[in-house]
Amino acid sequence: MMEVGGNGGGLPVNNKQRAMLPNKGRGEFPRNSRKDSEGLSESPDLEFEYSDTDKWAAELSELYSYTEGPEFALNRKCFEEEFRAHVSDKKWTELDAAEHQAHAMRLLDGLEVIAREKRLKVARAILYMAQGTFGECSCEAEVQHWMRYNIFLLLDVGTFSALVELLNMEIDNSAACSSAVRKPAISLADSTDLRVLLNIMYLIVETVQQDDPADKPEWKLLKETFKAELGSPLFNNEPISVMLFGMVTKFCSGHAPHFPMKKVLLLLWKSILFTLGGFEQLQSIKVRKRDELGLPPLPEDSIRVIRSMRAASPPASASDLIEQQQKRARREHKALIKQDNLDAFNEKDPYKADDSRDDEDDNDDNDNSLEPETFPIERDEVMPPPIPHPPSERVSFPKGLPWAPKVREKDIETFLESSRSKFIGYTLGSDTDTVVGLPRPIHESIKTLKQHKYVSIAELQIAKEEEYQKTPLSVGEEEVEMCATELLYQGLLPSLPQYMIALLKILLAAAPTSKAKTDSINILADVLPEEMPTTVLQSMKLGVDVNRHKEIIVKAISAILLLLLKHFKLNHIYQFEYMAQHLVFANCIPLILKFFNQNIMSYITAKNSISVLDFPHCVVHELPELTAESLEAGDNTQFCWRNLFSCINLLRILNKLTKWKHSRTMMLVVFKSAPILKRALKVKQAMMQLYVLKLLKVQTKYLGRQWRKSNMKTMSAIYQKVRHRLNDDWAYGNDLDARPWDFQAEECALRASIEHFNSRRYDKSHNNPDFLPVDNCLQSVLGQRVDLPEDFQMNYDLWLERERHTS
């Protein structure tokens, strides 16, 4: 178990780092934001498009720490020495395809030498090829072109398999592990061999999985073959992802503190993404599976719906609320205004209906409640007569809600049971068709519920599993599709709890709210230089590098967990539940809440990057002289893509862990998640707000009447943005706190179902002997050779004599 408790604290930044954050790290909205008439901070939506990954150049640059900068020139030197020793004075870009292949094969042979120094030199030469032989390129686009060409060439000659063998040797290198364990301070130099190998492997996976319409047909075939190999148990009889998970657990156990964990996690994430597929592929798999199971199509494409949503206005800050109150006080002392102006204003505002309600909403709790997007006009301030606008400029309000409502079979049963007991006085169990004796409005209600009934793939899988457990002989043998997800689950199954704990330990160490502890794991081994900085400028650069390093680790872990949860859920619900339950047991829910218990706007807008040092910019442009001012300047982006991506991923994981689980929903209430989640609504991005509102919706009924009364704007936003479940009384308490749920029993029952599933499908050594086939043929049974024990053979004569007398 991990220690995740505690109050979390804010984002730890020192004065140097604070200067690099927008508005001195206070997490405010960009300076060009305007104030609306209520004094609320009003800024445009963040121009963020959620996707599987960031742009290719950004994903390449995040592989390298800034402290690795000098190694680019070292890789080039190693390549050029090898190249000149075997090839004429031509440039790499001037050779033909046959010469390229010959040199690639020559380098591959060089990886098999025994001498470690020689092997490392050849590996660096291969890394330079994978980096696009940048010394002969004049721009970033040219580097990326040659990267793609060289990587497909390396893949074609079999470089990846050779790299996996070398990586296995380094993982099992006990001398390096024991040396690292004894060292008081581990630095970049301790992981040199591992970093070079992981860099090449990452560049191959990341480049090959990128789609390019200009690819040759043989490249497309090579890509599909490589994808199948990565997901199959070809490397040490396990998929590559399982091998990388093993590195993660070895690192967390303290036996290999020199492992470059950021690179391992990035390669693990990209391997899972490549072999299993991203969010678009998940949607298409879901559509295909529903069709195969005979289920109706999905009511909408969730990805498209979310992309078309607008963010709600951010909440008011304390200074805005004070300013708002001062304006009101001034307005109360103004002279009365002509009635015709007031009438004109009331005609202008289509929502001007109930002044008392407006006042109540304006006095909403000062705890940063959400301002809904459908109230754009100031109601309290008297305005001059309206200027007529052409119809095209009028505010267009959405027609209807973004999501189609859903109903479960259980909801229809509950509604019918309560209706029967109320009107007739009897119940019929799970019968949802008999409506005899019920009033006409109830008939209409049932018809509406059935129209919106949604049967999930998981419900069918659970029903099928119950059938296998109850009648194993009549149901027959289960046909399991050996897809990449199934192969990965089988590889992870024996040690899955340890893998989840290890990932969460690293996530805890990388979270900005974590305090530095002497006993916590060191995740900075592959970013700290051998010689610590001596000048202020070097210290600032290292500070940026360390913060960036942690952000990238959070990004990779959040993406790994989300992808695995989503793919396992589609493959089989109990695979998902097994992983989810071990995440919950390892304190994942309080850990994510601890992560969000910070100034989330500071995290989203953090500028922990130095663009001139990013690859491939730093290898094709002359590096300007770095100064404290240039480091503080950062870039002009509105937000940090990776941090917003991580936040959305973590919110989605939290939603997946708590959905339909009362015990876990109560954990959100017990850990006081409501104020933490409400602060996250400050981020003006529709997708992030949607997942925050979902988490608030599931716990609303447990938060009490007073919370709901003082958070009506948040409640309104939930109504506008989150899918409705008909007959769900999420907005009303109905004394649910007093309901005697046994949360421990709920988790225990789920655990028993998961264990039965895993045992039935994967544990072939402990099959029930009652269900094994029996040999009933007398001839074959008597003809079997039976090995008798030695003591019986020695006393055989005595036994024979005794049996003769007794008979």
Side-chain angles (χ1 to χ4, degrees):
M1 283 288 183
M2 300 182 320
E3 183 187 343
V4 182
N7 57 8
L11 178 66
V13 287
N14 56 34
N15 290 332
K16 293 168 191 167
Q17 295 162 344
R18 190 181 301 280
M20 300 167 62
L21 298 173
N23 299 329
K24 302 301 177 193
R26 290 192 296 272
E28 297 168 5
F29 280 84
R31 286 174 187 162
N32 61 355
S33 65
R34 61 183 177 79
K35 301 265 183 160
D36 69 6
S37 51
E38 276 191 352
L40 294 177
S41 301
E42 186 61 46
S43 62
D45 287 13
L46 298 182
E47 295 296 325
F48 172 81
E49 187 173 329
Y50 186 75
S51 181
D52 294 312
T53 61
D54 201 350
K55 292 183 176 66
W56 190 35
E59 295 295 339
L60 293 178
S61 69
E62 288 180 357
L63 175 63
Y64 311 102
S65 302
Y66 295 142
T67 42
E68 287 181 88
E71 294 189 18
F72 290 122
L74 184 57
N75 299 338
R76 179 181 177 180
K77 182 185 172 189
C78 291
F79 174 84
E80 287 175 350
E81 283 176 7
E82 289 282 333
F83 191 64
R84 289 202 185 95
H86 299 99
V87 187
S88 63
D89 291 337
K90 280 186 179 180
K91 289 184 174 181
W92 173 260
T93 51
E94 294 169 355
L95 301 181
D96 59 25
E99 290 172 307
H100 282 150
Q101 189 164 22
H103 190 65
M105 294 287 284
R106 200 177 295 116
L107 288 175
L108 193 58
D109 291 339
L111 284 179
E112 296 179 5
V113 298
I114 297 171
R116 176 179 287 271
E117 293 77 12
K118 174 70 176 167
R119 203 166 59 229
L120 177 61
K121 197 173 178 183
V122 173
R124 283 197 179 280
I126 293 173
L127 176 55
Y128 177 71
M129 276 181 68
Q131 288 169 340
T133 49
F134 52 79
E136 300 172 27
C137 301
S138 57
C139 65
E140 293 175 35
E142 204 176 333
V143 173
Q144 292 181 359
H145 165 77
W146 280 103
M147 271 185 76
R148 196 163 184 81
Y149 175 85
N150 292 346
I151 280 169
F152 274 104
L153 172 65
L154 290 170
L155 195 60
D156 193 26
V157 298
T159 310
F160 198 84
S161 301
L163 292 170
V164 172
E165 287 178 22
L166 285 174
L167 184 61
N168 269 319
M169 281 173 53
E170 290 301 326
I171 292 169
D172 298 332
N173 187 347
S174 54
C177 291
S178 56
S179 168
V181 168
R182 287 196 301 270
K183 276 193 173 183
I186 304 168
S187 70
L188 207 62
D190 297 292
S191 59
T192 304
D193 293 37
L194 279 165
R195 282 187 297 106
V196 171
L197 296 174
L198 289 166
N199 280 345
I200 305 168
M201 292 168 76
Y202 176 88
L203 290 172
I204 291 174
V205 173
E206 174 61 17
T207 305
V208 170
Q209 75 170 340
Q210 295 288 330
D211 289 321
D212 190 338
D215 280 354
K216 306 170 190 172
E218 55 267 30
W219 284 9
K220 290 177 182 174
L221 185 64
L222 201 59
K223 175 180 177 176
E224 291 307 313
T225 308
F226 181 53
K227 182 178 178 179
E229 286 175 357
L230 269 189
S232 304
L234 295 179
F235 308 103
N236 298 345
N237 297 319
E238 60 190 15
I240 190 78
S241 302
V242 179
M243 189 180 96
L244 294 169
F245 263 116
M247 289 185 74
V248 175
T249 48
K250 192 171 182 182
F251 171 80
C252 285
S253 66
H255 298 309
H258 65 298
F259 281 2
M261 213 19 62
K262 183 189 85 173
K263 294 183 192 296
V264 173
L265 290 167
L266 283 173
L267 178 57
L268 176 57
W269 168 32
K270 293 306 169 68
S271 301
I272 293 170
L273 180 62
F274 184 37
T275 53
L276 306 190
F279 303 126
E280 297 281 356
Q281 288 92 329
L282 275 161
Q283 189 75 2
S284 59
I285 294 168
K286 193 173 185 178
V287 169
R288 176 179 60 81
K289 283 211 167 192
R290 288 186 68 83
D291 186 50
E292 288 172 359
L293 294 167
L295 293 172
L298 292 165
E300 70 275 297
D301 184 338
S302 54
I303 295 172
R304 287 180 186 169
V305 172
I306 292 172
R307 281 179 181 165
S308 64
M309 291 174 81
R310 285 194 309 124
S313 298
S317 66
S319 59
D320 293 336
L321 289 163
I322 293 166
E323 187 180 336
Q324 181 183 336
Q325 288 170 1
Q326 288 171 348
K327 276 189 176 182
R328 284 208 191 117
R330 286 198 298 272
R331 281 204 302 271
E332 285 170 7
H333 294 94
K334 282 182 181 177
L336 289 173
I337 296 168
K338 286 169 65 178
Q339 186 63 37
D340 57 347
N341 280 0
L342 290 170
D343 292 339
F345 172 61
N346 284 335
E347 287 170 13
K348 167 82 175 179
D349 187 354
Y351 290 94
K352 187 75 173 178
D354 184 1
D355 288 340
S356 61
R357 185 184 164 203
D358 294 345
D359 291 340
E360 183 188 329
D361 270 2
D362 286 337
N363 293 328
D364 206 355
D365 72 327
N366 293 349
D367 186 24
N368 297 336
S369 56
L370 191 74
E371 178 69 15
E373 59 189 317
T374 52
F375 292 82
I377 304 168
E378 166 61 64
R379 299 203 255 309
D380 292 345
E381 189 167 287
V382 177
M383 296 172 66
I387 302 166
H389 292 290
S392 60
E393 290 187 19
R394 287 194 176 181
V395 179
S396 59
F397 296 104
K399 296 178 182 177
L401 298 165
W403 304 99
K406 283 183 181 177
V407 180
R408 293 183 298 168
E409 181 76 20
K410 185 180 172 185
D411 298 331
I412 301 173
E413 287 174 16
T414 308
F415 176 72
L416 263 170
E417 286 296 274
S418 62
S419 300
R420 284 175 188 142
S421 5
K422 179 178 177 183
F423 292 104
I424 305 170
Y426 70 87
T427 58
L428 288 175
S430 58
D431 183 347
T432 57
D433 296 321
T434 307
V435 290
V436 177
L438 295 174
R440 176 61 56 188
I442 299 294
H443 291 204
E444 294 295 325
S445 300
I446 294 162
K447 184 182 174 185
T448 305
L449 288 171
K450 286 187 174 179
Q451 276 177 354
H452 295 288
K453 180 180 166 184
Y454 177 79
V455 180
S456 67
I457 296 169
E459 288 174 70
L460 295 188
Q461 289 172 339
I462 290 169
K464 193 73 176 171
E465 185 58 29
E466 285 174 0
E467 206 177 338
Y468 277 118
Q469 297 294 344
K470 285 178 185 173
T471 55
L473 295 176
S474 58
V475 175
E477 193 71 26
E478 183 185 14
E479 289 184 17
V480 181
E481 183 190 352
M482 298 309 287
C483 57
T485 309
E486 182 64 34
L487 290 167
L488 180 58
Y489 183 77
Q490 289 181 15
L492 295 178
L493 181 60
S495 304
L496 191 136
Q498 287 81 2
Y499 297 148
M500 295 304 106
I501 290 169
L503 284 180
L504 293 182
K505 273 186 176 178
I506 298 171
L507 182 61
L508 177 65
T513 51
S514 294
K515 302 289 185 290
K517 289 183 180 177
T518 51
D519 58 341
S520 65
I521 51 176
N522 176 21
I523 56 169
L524 304 177
D526 53 328
V527 71
L528 297 175
E530 284 184 89
E531 296 178 4
M532 291 307 284
T534 53
T535 66
V536 173
L537 187 65
Q538 289 174 341
S539 299
M540 288 179 72
K541 181 184 163 187
L542 183 59
V544 172
D545 209 1
V546 165
N547 288 340
R548 174 177 177 267
H549 182 82
K550 288 181 176 180
E551 289 171 4
I552 294 166
I553 286 176
V554 172
K555 173 187 175 182
I557 292 177
S558 67
I560 289 166
L561 291 175
L562 181 61
L563 276 174
L564 288 178
L565 285 171
K566 287 188 78 67
H567 277 285
F568 286 159
K569 188 171 185 181
L570 261 184
N571 200 49
H572 199 288
I573 183 63
Y574 283 131
Q575 294 178 350
F576 161 81
E577 294 291 7
Y578 185 53
M579 179 179 166
Q581 194 164 61
H582 280 290
L583 284 173
V584 173
F585 290 164
N587 285 340
C588 184
I589 292 174
L591 170 55
I592 293 176
L593 293 174
K594 181 185 174 76
F595 179 89
F596 279 97
N597 193 20
Q598 58 169 308
N599 186 334
I600 206 69
M601 278 307 300
S602 289
Y603 189 72
I604 295 289
T605 57
K607 298 289 192 291
N608 288 315
S609 58
I610 307 167
S611 54
V612 292
L613 296 180
D614 284 339
F615 179 87
H617 184 278
C618 63
V619 293
V620 290
H621 297 99
E622 195 173 337
L623 189 65
E625 187 182 350
L626 287 177
T627 61
E629 288 73 23
S630 64
L631 284 179
E632 286 180 7
D635 53 21
N636 295 320
T637 51
Q638 199 181 4
F639 57 90
C640 175
W641 196 96
R642 64 173 165 265
N643 290 354
L644 192 44
F645 175 76
S646 303
C647 289
I648 292 174
N649 285 346
L650 291 172
L651 288 168
R652 294 184 78 184
I653 292 164
L654 205 49
N655 269 288
K656 291 213 162 295
L657 296 182
T658 54
K659 190 176 183 181
W660 304 120
K661 304 285 190 302
H662 294 300
S663 56
R664 298 174 192 175
T665 303
M666 291 307 294
M667 285 178 77
L668 292 177
V669 179
V670 168
F671 288 116
K672 295 182 170 58
S673 66
I676 295 170
L677 292 168
K678 277 186 63 183
R679 282 199 295 275
L681 288 171
K682 285 184 175 183
V683 180
K684 202 172 178 199
Q685 205 283 324
M687 192 172 191
M688 182 163 168
Q689 287 185 351
L690 172 68
Y691 288 111
V692 171
L693 293 170
K694 277 187 171 188
L695 289 165
L696 286 169
K697 179 186 173 181
V698 295
Q699 57 178 311
T700 298
K701 61 179 80 170
Y702 311 111
L703 295 175
R705 183 183 295 249
Q706 185 55 45
W707 188 91
R708 293 193 295 275
K709 185 179 175 184
S710 57
N711 287 274
M712 285 310 294
K713 290 175 181 174
T714 305
M715 302 281 281
S716 173
I718 292 171
Y719 179 81
Q720 289 171 25
K721 294 186 179 299
V722 182
R723 187 192 302 279
H724 288 272
R725 294 268 172 183
L726 300 182
N727 280 12
D728 180 11
D729 62 345
W730 67 270
Y732 308 97
N734 292 337
D735 295 323
L736 284 169
D737 293 333
R739 191 175 292 186
W741 278 319
D742 188 346
F743 299 132
Q744 200 169 357
E746 189 183 350
E747 290 289 349
C748 287
L750 178 62
R751 190 173 190 174
S753 300
I754 294 164
E755 284 174 357
H756 286 144
F757 165 77
N758 283 334
S759 175
R760 179 188 67 78
R761 196 189 260 198
Y762 304 109
D763 192 1
K764 300 301 179 188
S765 60
H766 295 93
N767 280 324
N768 191 329
D770 296 338
F771 299 146
L772 292 174
V774 178
D775 187 357
N776 294 318
C777 177
L778 190 64
Q779 199 170 7
S780 67
V781 169
L782 291 175
Q784 286 177 6
R785 178 179 173 80
V786 179
D787 291 325
L788 299 169
E790 191 177 338
D791 58 339
F792 181 80
Q793 291 178 33
M794 289 172 66
N795 299 307
Y796 176 71
D797 294 334
L798 290 171
W799 175 81
L800 196 63
E801 187 67 28
R802 190 169 62 246
E803 287 294 309
R804 190 168 63 81
H805 281 301
T806 53
S807 61

